[in-house]
């Protein structure tokens, strides 16, 4: 088995060369074409993957930019809402204060009117009582109109003296 046989070596080499020539003529070009096609497919896949990566990076940056803009706009809307709320609050408080001040002034005017009316009524009653007392004291009826004028003048003088 380990003998060297020159004829076998010659036929083996000759068979190898023939197979090599036949393969070169029939299979070599399709194999090279398949390898070239596969190489081109791998290259185009790598380029497409790079383009997809670049596009996804661009979209990510665009998304971040839009998110930042949306957050800024939301903060702006919130600030405007707060400012509007403060303005409305101030307007409501101002309106309430004006309304309460108006009500206080009306109440004061009403109190003053009531006071004046009570004073007029009191003067009238005092004058009537004074006339009755004077009439009883003098046992004579004085002219009511003259007596009322006299009493009113006296009461006014007393009011002025009390005011001063």
């Amino acid at each position: 088995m380990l003998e060297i046989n020159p004829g076998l070596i010659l036929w083996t080499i000759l068979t190898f060369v023939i197979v090599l020539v036949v393969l070169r003529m029939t299979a070599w070009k399709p194999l090279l074409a398949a390898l070239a096609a596969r190489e081109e497919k791998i290259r185009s896949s790598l380029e497409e993957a790079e383009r997809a990566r670049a596009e996804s990076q661009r979209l990510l940056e665009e998304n971040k930019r839009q998110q930042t803009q949306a957050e800024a706009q939301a903060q702006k809307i919130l600030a405007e809402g707060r400012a509007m709320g403060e303005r409305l609050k101030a307007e409501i408080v101002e309106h309430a204060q004006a309304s309460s001040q108006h009500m206080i002034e009306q109440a004061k005017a009403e109190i003053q009117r009531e006071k004046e009316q009570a004073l007029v009524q009191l003067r009238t009653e005092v004058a009537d009582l004074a006339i009755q007392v004077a009439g009883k004291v003098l046992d004579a009826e004085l002219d009511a109109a003259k007596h009322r004028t006299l009493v009113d003048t006296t009461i006014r003088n007393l009011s002025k003296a009390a005011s001063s």
Side-chain angles (χ1 to χ4, degrees), residues 4 6 28 44 48 53 57 65 67 77-78 80 86 91 94-96 107 112 114 121 132 139 143:
I4 296 182
W28 189 255
S44 67
E48 183 64 30
R53 188 196 63 75
Q57 185 67 27
R65 185 184 60 80
Q67 184 178 8
I77 290 171
L78 284 174
E80 288 173 356
E86 289 298 320
E91 287 176 8
E94 181 181 331
H95 179 70
Q112 186 63 33
E114 292 289 328
Q121 185 179 359
Q132 288 175 358
D139 277 338
D143 182 13

Side-chain angles (χ1 to χ4, degrees), residues 20-74:
L20 189 62
V21 169
V22 170
L23 281 177
R24 183 169 175 96
M25 290 174 29
T26 58
W28 189 255
K29 286 184 182 178
L31 280 174
L32 287 178
L35 286 175
R38 181 155 186 220
E39 182 182 347
E40 183 58 34
K41 184 177 177 185
I42 290 172
R43 184 179 300 116
S44 67
S45 293
L46 288 174
E47 289 172 356
E48 183 64 30
E50 181 60 29
R51 279 194 301 273
R53 188 196 63 75
E55 179 68 15
S56 68
Q57 185 67 27
R58 185 189 66 78
L59 289 175
L60 180 64
E61 290 172 3
E62 177 71 19
N63 188 17
K64 285 180 181 178
R65 185 184 60 80
Q66 287 177 352
Q67 184 178 8
T68 304
Q69 286 177 344
E71 288 174 358
Q73 188 174 8

Side-chain angles (χ1 to χ4, degrees), residues 16-164:
F16 179 73
V17 170
I18 291 172
V19 168
L20 189 62
V21 169
V22 170
L23 281 177
R24 183 169 175 96
M25 290 174 29
T26 58
W28 189 255
K29 286 184 182 178
L31 280 174
L32 287 178
L35 286 175
R38 181 155 186 220
E39 182 182 347
E40 183 58 34
K41 184 177 177 185
I42 290 172
R43 184 179 300 116
S44 67
S45 293
L46 288 174
E47 289 172 356
E48 183 64 30
E50 181 60 29
R51 279 194 301 273
R53 188 196 63 75
E55 179 68 15
S56 68
Q57 185 67 27
R58 185 189 66 78
L59 289 175
L60 180 64
E61 290 172 3
E62 177 71 19
N63 188 17
K64 285 180 181 178
R65 185 184 60 80
Q66 287 177 352
Q67 184 178 8
T68 304
Q69 286 177 344
E71 288 174 358
Q73 188 174 8
Q75 291 298 324
K76 180 182 175 185
I77 290 171
L78 284 174
E80 288 173 356
R82 285 186 194 111
M84 183 179 289
E86 289 298 320
R87 279 194 310 271
L88 286 175
K89 177 184 170 187
E91 287 176 8
I92 289 170
V93 166
E94 181 181 331
H95 179 70
Q97 287 176 344
S99 178
S100 67
Q101 186 64 32
H102 179 69
M103 291 172 82
I104 289 170
E105 289 172 5
Q106 283 181 336
K108 285 180 180 179
E110 181 68 24
I111 290 170
Q112 186 63 33
R113 278 193 303 272
E114 292 289 328
K115 179 181 172 184
E116 289 173 6
Q117 186 179 3
L119 285 175
V120 168
Q121 185 179 359
L122 182 63
R123 284 182 189 147
T124 305
E125 288 179 16
V126 167
D128 287 344
L129 285 173
I131 291 172
Q132 288 175 358
V133 168
K136 287 181 181 181
V137 168
L138 296 176
D139 277 338
E141 274 297 314
L142 295 176
D143 182 13
K146 288 181 183 179
H147 195 356
R148 183 175 301 276
T149 304
L150 178 63
V151 170
D152 283 341
T153 304
T154 305
I155 291 174
R156 262 188 251 120
N157 288 338
L158 287 175
S159 302
K160 288 180 185 176
S163 298
S164 300

